[in-house]
Amino acid sequence: MASSLRRLRLYHSTGVAISHLHTSSRASAKQHYKMLVLGGGSGGICMSARMKRMLGADNVAVVEPSEVHYYQPIWTLVGAGAKTTASSARPTASVMPSGVKWVKSKVQEIHPDKNTVLVDDGTEISYEYLIVALGLQLHYEKIKGLPEAFEHPKIGSNYSIETVEKTWKALQNFKEGNAVFTFPNTPVKCAGAPQKIMYLSDAYLRKTGKRAKANVIYNTSLPVLFGIKKYADTLWDIVKSRDLQVNLRQNLIEVRPDKREAVFENLDKPGETKVCEYEMLHVTPPMGPSLVVKGSPLADENGWLDLNKETLQHNKYPNVFGIGDCTNLPTAKTGAAVAAQSAILNRTIGKLLKNQKPDKKYDGYTSCPLVTSYNTVVLAEFDYNGQPLETFPINQAKERRLMYYMKADVMPHLYWHGLLRGLWGGPGPYRKLLHLGMK
């Protein structure tokens, strides 16, 4: 575990993913590709598969250092003991489209004025078109005491493969006291996840007869429980019926693991802090833009990839595109958003390659399956305007067993065998699923 935490610490201090590179697969001295994809996460793999079909495998390359690809949405259930970490992982080689060049290296610099990318071994790769899918950066180190505190018991985080099992261990070893769950004062990926683990922990403590000795506390930096009122109303009802304590505008700034104390600042009263003892602490780390994007001309004033929110084409460089968590698209950063964006981006690139104007617009579709117990989910789906954009002809703000089954079992299968192969996506992935089920 110590070595894993050292890797985690290095990851968050450098902002660059750690990987054991095969020298035989390193980039050659100089390379050129018609389509270069930066990042081998969900957006990068999905788009490389689509670009292979559009341009041919020899014309596509993916820069990605990691040997392992993770299905991160399942980590919520891993942290609650409902799934295993192994179920979330597959070798990157198994999801990389066959024939596409995999550059096992880290992106160091992007030079869009020269149409080149520099990777960590000094190789310069040139491109005609660039898709940026570099994700976002976790910043545990911005909380005093982290990530070192993960070496102590009672604390975990579902946002890292290095710490998700520590969440489950802390939950299993809970005796009595405060179970505290946090939400940072930054944009995050899967904004529902910080409270999903709270609902699951509450359910576990009830199942094991420990709930009477527990105070379940959710301290969020946000002024609301959830951003879309239709679903927030349901969540508030759940909070009240299960005696969960929600404190708004509370931001975690320090962890003192030796004393089992978490320190929060009141964002509405600068300078005011509160110390909270914990028997279990789940940390959602502050997050920010990819440091590579932030340090390039591709970034907006906040460091995110600066895209046209309808076409996913860069606002300054017309041969640059983006997808997923690294972008400044004003919608929730989720896997479902990537699925929807992938179809629009594919269409945009296809039109531009034919010197035609893009004719499909991304409406901001995103989805958050809000896990509220070990067998129920509230399926939130909405657009740029925060308006529900639902798939099913039922009230999706209601807790449903069917939606849990979709989250836990159906969606992982579609991810590995559909999205990553560029075969699944569109206006709304659940809508596509519904259509498939009716055929």
Side-chain angles (χ1 to χ4, degrees), residues 42-253:
S42 55
I45 295 295
C46 171
M47 288 311 302
S48 64
R50 287 179 177 271
M51 293 300 98
K52 172 188 171 180
R53 283 199 296 277
M54 185 181 293
L55 303 171
D58 291 344
N59 291 311
V60 181
V62 183
V63 183
E64 169 56 47
S66 180
E67 296 278 3
V68 183
H69 181 102
Y70 293 102
Y71 177 57
Q72 296 182 31
I74 212 69
W75 287 350
T76 285
L77 300 181
V78 173
K83 294 286 183 179
T84 64
T85 52
S87 72
S88 74
R90 295 202 179 172
T92 301
S94 72
V95 300
M96 190 69 63
S98 62
V100 165
K101 173 65 177 180
W102 175 17
V103 181
K104 289 186 199 173
S105 202
K106 298 183 287 288
V107 179
Q108 294 290 84
E109 298 174 6
I110 307 172
H111 300 286
D113 290 302
K114 298 192 300 178
N115 293 327
T116 62
V117 168
L118 185 69
V119 298
D120 69 338
D121 67 352
T123 301
E124 187 177 76
I125 306 175
S126 59
Y127 59 83
E128 287 186 48
Y129 300 93
L130 182 70
I131 296 176
V132 183
L134 287 169
L136 51 65
Q137 185 67 35
L138 305 182
H139 287 292
Y140 287 102
E141 82 286 349
K142 291 190 175 182
I143 299 170
K144 187 177 179 181
L146 291 179
E148 293 80 6
F150 288 120
E151 295 175 11
H152 296 254
K154 309 291 186 180
I155 175 173
S157 175
N158 290 353
Y159 276 86
S160 168
I161 190 62
E162 308 286 1
T163 57
V164 62
E165 288 181 320
K166 289 182 68 66
T167 303
W168 174 226
K169 187 173 289 187
L171 183 54
Q172 287 176 295
N173 293 336
F174 187 96
K175 293 181 174 61
E176 61 178 309
N178 295 331
V180 182
F181 305 85
T182 74
F183 189 110
N185 190 29
T186 66
V188 301
K189 55 182 174 180
C190 194
Q195 62 182 289
K196 296 177 195 179
I197 187 60
M198 170 184 66
Y199 301 125
L200 286 162
S201 297
D202 169 71
Y204 179 82
L205 295 174
R206 291 179 188 277
K207 184 170 63 174
T208 54
K210 299 177 182 178
R211 184 62 178 88
K213 293 184 177 181
N215 300 310
V216 180
I217 302 168
Y218 182 59
N219 283 355
T220 173
S221 296
L222 298 176
V224 294
L225 181 57
F226 192 72
I228 312 303
K229 186 179 183 302
K230 175 177 181 176
Y231 310 112
D233 289 346
T234 296
L235 296 175
W236 276 118
D237 288 342
I238 293 170
V239 163
K240 292 169 185 174
S241 66
R242 299 180 193 172
D243 193 27
L244 309 175
Q245 183 179 332
V246 175
N247 301 311
L248 306 177
R249 303 293 285 159
Q250 298 295 310
N251 181 43
L252 178 67
I253 57 173

Side-chain angles (χ1 to χ4, degrees), residues 4-51:
S4 295
L5 288 167
R6 280 195 293 273
R7 291 199 303 274
L8 178 65
R9 199 170 299 119
L10 180 61
Y11 178 93
H12 295 301
S13 63
T14 63
V16 178
I18 306 304
S19 175
H20 302 291
L21 300 173
H22 294 314
T23 53
S24 61
S25 300
R26 296 298 286 262
S28 58
K30 184 144 188 172
Q31 298 181 36
H32 174 82
Y33 295 95
K34 188 175 183 72
M35 180 64 69
L36 183 62
V37 180
L38 305 183
S42 55
I45 295 295
C46 171
M47 288 311 302
S48 64
R50 287 179 177 271
M51 293 300 98

Side-chain angles (χ1 to χ4, degrees), residues 135-380:
L136 51 65
Q137 185 67 35
L138 305 182
H139 287 292
Y140 287 102
E141 82 286 349
K142 291 190 175 182
I143 299 170
K144 187 177 179 181
L146 291 179
E148 293 80 6
F150 288 120
E151 295 175 11
H152 296 254
K154 309 291 186 180
I155 175 173
S157 175
N158 290 353
Y159 276 86
S160 168
I161 190 62
E162 308 286 1
T163 57
V164 62
E165 288 181 320
K166 289 182 68 66
T167 303
W168 174 226
K169 187 173 289 187
L171 183 54
Q172 287 176 295
N173 293 336
F174 187 96
K175 293 181 174 61
E176 61 178 309
N178 295 331
V180 182
F181 305 85
T182 74
F183 189 110
N185 190 29
T186 66
V188 301
K189 55 182 174 180
C190 194
Q195 62 182 289
K196 296 177 195 179
I197 187 60
M198 170 184 66
Y199 301 125
L200 286 162
S201 297
D202 169 71
Y204 179 82
L205 295 174
R206 291 179 188 277
K207 184 170 63 174
T208 54
K210 299 177 182 178
R211 184 62 178 88
K213 293 184 177 181
N215 300 310
V216 180
I217 302 168
Y218 182 59
N219 283 355
T220 173
S221 296
L222 298 176
V224 294
L225 181 57
F226 192 72
I228 312 303
K229 186 179 183 302
K230 175 177 181 176
Y231 310 112
D233 289 346
T234 296
L235 296 175
W236 276 118
D237 288 342
I238 293 170
V239 163
K240 292 169 185 174
S241 66
R242 299 180 193 172
D243 193 27
L244 309 175
Q245 183 179 332
V246 175
N247 301 311
L248 306 177
R249 303 293 285 159
Q250 298 295 310
N251 181 43
L252 178 67
I253 57 173
E254 182 180 357
V255 178
R256 302 166 182 166
D258 52 335
K259 298 178 181 178
R260 292 185 192 165
E261 292 178 345
V263 183
F264 295 86
E265 63 176 345
N266 186 333
L267 294 174
D268 288 334
K269 297 179 180 178
E272 181 181 302
T273 61
K274 182 178 181 181
V275 177
C276 181
E277 294 183 357
Y278 64 83
E279 167 70 3
M280 171 189 177
L281 175 64
H282 177 269
V283 177
T284 300
M287 302 179 203
S290 158
L291 299 184
V292 173
V293 172
K294 188 176 182 180
S296 80
L298 298 177
D300 68 7
E301 64 275 12
N302 296 312
W304 302 96
L305 188 68
D306 188 19
L307 296 185
N308 178 300
K309 72 174 191 175
E310 294 180 339
T311 65
L312 311 187
Q313 185 177 23
H314 195 272
N315 280 321
K316 181 179 179 183
Y317 299 95
N319 64 329
V320 176
F321 309 88
I323 188 171
D325 296 349
C326 68
T327 70
N328 66 351
L329 300 174
T331 193
K333 299 177 185 297
T334 69
V338 167
Q341 291 163 20
S342 68
I344 300 297
L345 181 52
N346 189 67
R347 180 80 174 187
T348 292
I349 294 172
K351 286 289 184 179
L352 291 173
L353 287 174
K354 297 175 183 176
N355 293 317
Q356 298 175 1
K357 188 175 181 179
D359 60 351
K360 295 289 184 182
K361 296 180 179 180
Y362 177 51
D363 57 8
Y365 173 88
T366 190
S367 173
C368 183
L370 292 152
V371 182
T372 55
S373 75
Y374 283 94
N375 59 12
T376 54
V377 158
V378 171
L379 181 58

